[in-house]
Amino acid sequence: MPDEHRLEEEFLSQEAERRISEKLDGAEKIEIDIQTDLLKIVQGQADGVSVAGQGLVIEKDVRVQEIKLQTESININPLSALFGQIELNEPVDAVARIILTEVDMNRTLASDFVRSKLQDVDLDVDGKIVSFEAQKIEIFLPGDGKIECRGKVLLKEKGNTRVFGYTAIARPRTHSQPAMLESFNCTEGGGISIEVATALMHKAKELMNIPYFKWEDMVFHIKDIKVETGSLVLLVETQVRQIPSSEILSP
């Protein structure tokens, strides 16, 4: 077989790139390769799909430095495929490698989207509710597998509200070790009680051990995390339920 892609592969791949590009708020580069041929399209099959993207922007403030994704063989709607639209007849498994930079992570944490999710995080402290409202969060990736977090929160306890500042250094969970907290220091606000600190550590453990995250119809299960200087590398498995359709992409 010649090295050049078949015309049907190029057509479907270019159409998929166009549709995904319209779904994103920005992209420096995106390449999609649908491995199939006309006979397989008619039979509703494709050998797989690979995606490589750089500088992908989602929801305006969420940026991914790099993503590489490869699916297994897929079953598609042959009639839709002949008209340039890939519709999956059933979910398909894929593996992906995602790189997030320190700069991009901090821009995301400062976004209105994330801040709205961090309003009034409630903790159960010996049967009483203590609330935290994030004011500022910054992530630093110095290397050596460590993540440093600095922030300020409004602590609402027993009817009183005060500012509480902190710094923390942690190691995220990997395929070979659980999440580890190396240090936690109070930098502003006079400290917190042991009971509140214990409840906060439980909450931090819960967040650090989240096994997956979602975007549109895709669920990403985190298999491994590697912290490098200035960047975070995620190895994930995902199940793609549908490639965005023209209806979803409409403004």
Side-chain angles (χ1 to χ4, degrees):
M1 185 182 76
D3 292 336
E4 293 82 3
H5 286 187
R6 297 182 180 90
L7 290 176
E8 53 266 32
E9 277 187 338
E10 293 184 1
F11 172 69
L12 287 175
S13 298
Q14 290 173 4
E15 182 65 12
E17 289 176 13
R18 183 185 69 81
R19 291 178 180 276
I20 296 296
S21 295
E22 289 179 357
K23 184 64 177 176
L24 299 169
D25 289 326
E28 294 174 8
K29 180 181 179 181
I30 183 165
E31 295 180 352
I32 298 177
D33 180 20
I34 300 175
Q35 298 107 40
T36 190
D37 57 38
L38 186 57
L39 178 59
K40 289 177 180 176
I41 291 175
V42 173
Q43 295 173 338
Q45 299 175 350
D47 293 329
V49 177
S50 61
V51 178
Q54 293 181 348
L56 308 183
V57 181
I58 308 163
E59 302 290 346
K60 295 183 180 180
D61 290 307
V62 180
R63 184 180 183 277
V64 176
Q65 174 62 27
E66 181 180 322
I67 182 171
K68 292 183 178 179
L69 179 145
Q70 175 68 52
T71 76
E72 57 185 20
S73 60
I74 61 177
N75 293 322
I76 59 178
N77 183 321
L79 182 60
S80 297
L82 290 173
F83 289 93
Q85 183 171 327
I86 300 297
E87 293 182 356
L88 302 183
N89 287 334
E90 58 186 37
V92 59
D93 293 328
V95 294
R97 182 175 182 269
I98 301 172
I99 299 178
L100 306 171
T101 68
E102 180 183 290
V103 172
D104 291 335
M105 292 175 67
N106 283 317
R107 185 174 74 170
T108 299
L109 289 172
S111 69
D112 291 337
F113 174 76
V114 171
R115 290 176 67 87
S116 67
K117 303 296 183 181
L118 298 177
Q119 300 292 321
D120 291 332
V121 177
D122 293 333
L123 302 177
D124 186 340
V125 181
D126 294 337
K128 297 180 180 179
I129 298 300
V130 175
S131 296
F132 287 83
E133 181 180 328
Q135 297 292 292
K136 182 180 180 181
I137 305 176
E138 289 183 293
I139 295 292
F140 300 90
L141 304 173
D144 194 28
K146 299 180 181 181
I147 298 177
E148 181 179 352
C149 181
R150 303 175 192 171
K152 291 183 180 181
V153 299
L154 285 180
L155 175 61
K156 304 175 183 179
E157 183 181 16
K158 299 178 181 179
N160 297 319
T161 300
R162 61 188 175 92
V163 175
F164 168 68
Y166 67 91
T167 63
I169 297 178
R171 293 179 183 270
R173 68 179 180 86
T174 68
H175 69 281
S176 60
Q177 69 175 29
M180 303 286 289
L181 180 66
E182 289 198 353
S183 66
F184 184 87
N185 297 303
C186 301
T187 59
E188 184 179 346
I192 53 177
S193 67
I194 293 176
E195 292 78 11
V196 172
T198 301
L200 185 59
M201 292 304 101
H202 281 297
K203 186 65 175 181
K205 178 181 177 181
E206 176 186 322
L207 294 174
M208 292 177 69
N209 284 314
I210 290 176
Y212 67 89
F213 57 95
K214 296 179 65 176
W215 179 63
E216 297 295 339
D217 290 323
M218 301 175 70
V219 178
F220 295 89
H221 293 270
I222 302 173
K223 305 302 293 183
D224 197 14
I225 301 175
K226 183 178 181 181
V227 183
E228 299 179 346
T229 304
S231 65
L232 196 68
V233 182
L234 306 177
L235 180 64
V236 304
E237 292 180 351
T238 181
Q239 190 174 77
V240 182
R241 297 185 178 275
Q242 199 54 259
I243 293 175
S245 67
S246 56
E247 288 79 7
I248 295 176
L249 293 172
S250 299

